[in-house]
Amino acid sequence: IADIAELLRKVFIDDPVLAEYVVRSRDPELALERFFTTELKKFYIPKGVVDTVKEDGKLLGVALWAKPNVPITKLDELRMLPGLMRALGRSFPRARQFDSYDAAATPGFPHWYLYSIVVSDSARGKGVGSMLLDHGIERAADWPIYLESTTAGSRKLYERKGFIPLGI
């Protein structure tokens, strides 16, 4: 969990959307690490899917998925609440506001949800992101997949893999 949370933090520290979550934090890196640790422990490990790529014991990439018909429920949100409030502090209300935007855009039918896919700096450009995404697409089979993209680079990968933008 610690290695995955650290990789997520490193990659997402400059993400334009997640940066808004921690904009008021005294220590944005610590806030993001706590944020991801909470989500991993309270939802993605017990109820979702965490795919990893390692080489020589080193974590190169990770993808976090929510399964169809296993969405994040109000009870899941309550379980995450203390950890997220501790992680985000004064930024918590802003994060909740962003979550409401996400919820409004989420499809109303069962689907796999790709929450995040990240690749370490040392593995960028080596196909790790494509490998993780291909694995998830194969597992999804005939189920639809939904995701959000916050960077031009990730949008290019998703479009190469056949994803179609539904809006901004």
Side-chain angles (χ1 to χ4, degrees), residues 22 25 27 30-36 38 81-89:
V22 296
S25 298
D27 186 343
L30 179 61
L32 278 180
E33 202 153 327
R34 287 177 173 168
F35 174 83
F36 288 122
T38 297
L81 188 64
L84 295 178
M85 288 180 75
R86 180 173 176 247
L88 300 175

Side-chain angles (χ1 to χ4, degrees), residues 95-156:
R96 294 297 295 167
Q97 182 181 16
F98 275 88
D99 282 347
S100 69
Y101 296 143
D102 286 347
T106 301
F109 50 83
H111 60 278
W112 279 92
Y113 172 59
L114 176 57
Y115 174 60
S116 71
I117 186 168
V118 297
V119 176
S120 69
D121 287 341
S122 65
R124 288 228 172 90
K126 297 180 180 178
V128 173
S130 288
M131 184 185 331
L132 285 163
L133 190 53
D134 289 343
H135 180 71
I137 291 169
E138 183 178 325
R139 179 180 44 238
D142 292 333
W143 287 94
I145 298 172
Y146 175 75
L147 57 86
E148 293 110 15
S149 174
T150 58
T151 65
S154 62
R155 278 189 292 280
K156 287 179 188 176

Side-chain angles (χ1 to χ4, degrees), residues 22-72:
V22 296
V23 71
R24 296 182 190 106
S25 298
R26 289 187 186 129
D27 186 343
E29 291 191 7
L30 179 61
L32 278 180
E33 202 153 327
R34 287 177 173 168
F35 174 83
F36 288 122
T37 298
T38 297
E39 290 188 329
L40 284 162
K41 285 181 176 180
K42 301 295 183 183
F43 182 76
Y44 287 97
I45 289 175
K47 294 175 111 177
V49 175
V50 179
D51 294 325
T52 60
V53 174
K54 292 183 177 183
E55 184 176 76
D56 298 325
K58 183 178 178 186
L59 184 63
L60 301 181
V62 65
L64 306 178
W65 297 84
K67 299 174 186 177
N69 297 319
V70 187
I72 296 175

Side-chain angles (χ1 to χ4, degrees), residues 1-20:
I1 293 174
D3 290 344
I4 294 169
E6 180 182 358
L7 178 57
L8 288 160
R9 177 207 31 98
K10 284 179 180 177
V11 172
F12 279 111
I13 193 67
D14 295 322
D15 181 83
V17 173
L18 282 179
E20 291 293 323

